[in-house]
Amino acid sequence: MMESRSKCDRFGWIGLAVIAAAMAFSSAAVTADDGADGATLEKQIGEVFIRSMAHWRYNYSKIPPRKAGVACIPWARLDDAFLDSGIFEALGFSYSMAGDEGAIRVATQGCDQMKAHYKVADCDCELVLVGDTVVVKIPDAIGDQQAPN
């Protein structure tokens, strides 16, 4: 005869896992200073962009020059877990442009269009890469809000 368990018994550990994850999320501080591995927040955002491109099966490093990358960055939800394994839900990129300004404009339009198409909320399309250089600007509110006391 099979042992019978209530839903609460079978799935109770899920509730504990959710609570633990929520506690970890609320206590995870992201600052513009160096991360645990010495990477700056700017560099980590660049890495998330590269990972996000790979998710869509694009290799940013193999895209021809005169390129730019823009991502819809969820500043309010940016934490260590996101920086380690998350992806941006909307992004845009361009390549083989006549100049950096054109590359940035086209990449920004792509991000805005993807954000609208997928109805992505709570993020801002921000310039992340020009060529292979990370150029993302961390908003003052993020640095001020996360600064140690």
Side-chain angles (χ1 to χ4, degrees):
M1 182 171 196
M2 293 188 79
E3 185 177 327
S4 173
R5 291 185 179 171
S6 71
K7 282 187 179 181
C8 184
D9 289 341
R10 284 185 283 170
F11 300 108
W13 62 271
I14 293 174
L16 291 174
V18 169
I19 291 169
M23 289 173 60
F25 177 80
S26 66
S27 65
V30 175
T31 67
D33 298 330
D34 289 348
D37 64 353
T40 63
L41 180 55
E42 291 87 349
K43 182 179 178 200
Q44 289 175 302
I45 289 171
E47 291 167 355
V48 174
F49 180 85
I50 300 297
R51 184 172 54 243
S52 301
M53 290 284 292
H55 172 81
W56 294 102
R57 297 195 170 110
Y58 289 99
N59 185 337
Y60 186 82
S61 65
K62 291 188 177 183
I63 292 175
R66 290 288 186 197
K67 58 187 175 181
V70 174
C72 201
I73 302 175
W75 294 112
R77 294 183 286 126
L78 210 58
D79 64 0
D80 290 332
F82 182 88
L83 293 170
D84 289 341
S85 61
I87 62 168
F88 296 121
E89 296 180 53
L91 42 91
F93 67 98
S94 62
Y95 59 93
S96 297
M97 302 300 293
D100 289 344
E101 297 80 18
I104 292 165
R105 186 177 62 253
V106 169
T108 301
Q109 289 171 348
C111 182
D112 289 337
Q113 289 173 354
M114 189 173 183
K115 179 181 177 182
H117 178 79
Y118 288 106
K119 296 175 176 54
V120 179
D122 302 327
C123 65
D124 299 308
C125 286
E126 304 278 352
L127 181 61
V128 177
L129 292 162
V130 174
D132 292 317
T133 304
V134 177
V135 296
V136 66
K137 302 287 186 226
I138 307 302
D140 290 338
I142 299 298
D144 295 343
Q145 167 184 355
Q146 301 293 337
N149 294 340

